[in-house]
Amino acid sequence: MTDNLPDYTPPKVWKWDKANGGRFANINRPIAGPTKDVELPVGEHPLQLYSMATPNGVKVTVMLEELLALGHKGAEYDAYFINISEGDQFGSGFVDINPNSKIPALMDHSTDTPTRLFESGSMLLYLAEKFGTFLPSDHNKRTEALNWLFWQMGSAPYLGGGFGHFYAYAPVKIEYCIDRFAMEVKRQLDVLDRHLADNEYMAGDEYSIADIAIWPWYGALVKNVVYEAAEFLDTASYKHMNRWTDMIGERPAVQRGKMVNRAWGDLEDQLRERHDASDFELRTQDKLEPEGEAAE
């Protein structure tokens, strides 16, 4: 396989080639910091979310909707759409919250000094501790939930930045790269499948932030929602993962959460901004966008 690859000798000092191609090449760069002065809007609720319905964004909107479903009024939030394809994450207001310029970004205005949060795993843990739920109180179960939360944070880059990039987004298909990351993703699916063979949820018998973190990535992969690679990876063969994925996906809060900050797919499934629970009935894109406009 490697005999057919072109020879490449890395230079002594790497230099940025803006024409490196591939999806998202127009927003990738080797430096941090803002590229433009843009203030972020601030709504009336304690929590202000700036995000997009990628798997990392869905984690947080699902968590917030789950909290609201339990009656935690302090979890009310405004969600503003950040278009990462257009570079919204490089606006100065966004970078002030997240210096890493990745969605999601969250501000908690209920604290004496507003609290900024970046990294989706940090947000899930913060919200679980703030509201005292979705993180088991039992020492062993809590530790298990955190084990799997941090497993997801460490493993997903192999799925997204590794497999997803080379299988779906790279300008050329490189067999070595696809094989390397497909092998790793299938190993991860096997890790999950074996664990879920003996556990209803990731932390045992309690739904937790571990499930909320893992489902948007690996559940979406199993159901062919990301990368259209379910057949390639034979995800149907992971029966325990499929059982768990279906169970989580049936939760009403999960169904609402995955709609927030979504700007693709069926218009009735897109709630690009969320400011009130009634928005799910009144402000989905099929109700805001004139008939036929999407096709123009």
Side-chain angles (χ1 to χ4, degrees):
M1 178 176 64
T2 56
D3 291 342
N4 296 324
L5 293 177
D7 291 333
Y8 172 68
T9 301
K12 290 184 177 180
V13 178
W14 180 84
K15 293 184 178 181
W16 183 25
D17 180 3
K18 293 184 179 180
N20 60 358
R23 189 173 175 184
F24 307 119
N26 63 315
I27 61 170
N28 290 333
R29 59 195 187 124
I31 55 175
T35 60
K36 50 194 173 184
D37 289 327
V38 180
E39 291 187 11
L40 293 175
V42 179
E44 64 180 30
H45 295 306
L47 299 172
Q48 299 292 301
L49 180 68
Y50 308 94
S51 190
M52 186 176 184
T54 66
N56 285 333
V58 169
K59 294 178 199 175
V60 180
T61 50
V62 165
M63 179 66 171
L64 291 168
E65 291 298 327
E66 291 280 16
L67 290 168
L68 291 171
L70 288 181
H72 292 286
K73 294 182 180 179
E76 271 293 355
Y77 69 105
D78 295 281
Y80 294 96
F81 178 63
I82 297 296
N83 190 337
I84 62 174
S85 297
E86 298 297 325
D88 291 352
Q89 69 275 35
F90 299 117
S92 56
F94 190 92
V95 175
D96 284 344
I97 303 175
N98 187 352
N100 198 37
S101 292
K102 303 289 184 182
I103 61 95
L106 179 67
M107 288 294 295
D108 182 358
H109 290 272
S110 71
T111 53
D112 291 339
T113 300
T115 302
R116 77 171 186 178
L117 293 126
F118 58 93
E119 290 298 323
S120 56
S122 175
M123 294 177 198
L124 293 181
L125 182 56
Y126 178 88
L127 293 170
E129 292 182 334
K130 180 181 179 72
F131 293 100
T133 190
F134 298 122
L135 185 59
S137 57
D138 174 80
H139 172 75
N140 290 332
K141 291 181 180 180
R142 174 188 169 88
T143 302
E144 187 71 358
L146 293 178
N147 285 341
W148 287 107
L149 172 65
F150 288 103
W151 176 90
Q152 187 278 318
M153 298 299 291
S155 296
Y158 290 97
L159 170 55
F163 175 78
H165 175 77
F166 286 107
Y167 182 81
Y169 301 143
V172 294
K173 303 298 184 187
I174 303 173
E175 183 180 4
Y176 170 79
C177 297
I178 293 173
D179 281 353
R180 170 66 182 86
F181 288 108
M183 177 179 66
E184 172 60 16
V185 169
K186 285 187 69 67
R187 188 194 68 81
Q188 293 176 1
L189 289 171
D190 195 41
V191 168
L192 292 169
D193 199 61
R194 289 171 183 266
H195 178 70
L196 289 167
D198 300 317
N199 296 275
E200 183 179 11
Y201 297 103
M202 294 309 304
D205 59 357
E206 291 187 48
Y207 178 63
S208 73
I209 56 175
D211 302 284
I212 295 172
I214 293 170
W215 185 85
W217 277 105
Y218 293 88
L221 181 69
V222 163
K223 295 302 179 183
N224 209 39
V225 175
V226 294
Y227 312 133
E228 297 183 348
E231 182 179 9
F232 179 75
L233 295 171
D234 188 24
T235 62
S237 66
Y238 302 97
K239 63 178 183 178
H240 305 294
M241 265 294 295
N242 278 275
R243 184 271 306 167
W244 172 85
T245 296
D246 290 339
M247 178 176 64
I248 302 300
E250 290 171 358
R251 298 178 67 91
V254 171
Q255 294 173 11
R256 291 192 298 274
K258 69 180 183 179
M259 294 171 60
V260 179
N261 297 144
R262 184 178 179 87
W264 58 90
D266 294 336
L267 293 179
E268 61 267 27
D269 294 330
Q270 298 181 30
L271 184 61
R272 298 186 183 179
E273 286 194 8
R274 188 267 191 216
H275 304 286
D276 186 82
S278 64
D279 291 346
F280 290 100
E281 297 296 329
L282 303 177
R283 297 188 61 80
T284 51
Q285 203 62 23
D286 59 313
K287 298 179 178 68
L288 298 180
E289 190 168 304
E291 185 176 355
E293 181 178 304
E296 294 179 0

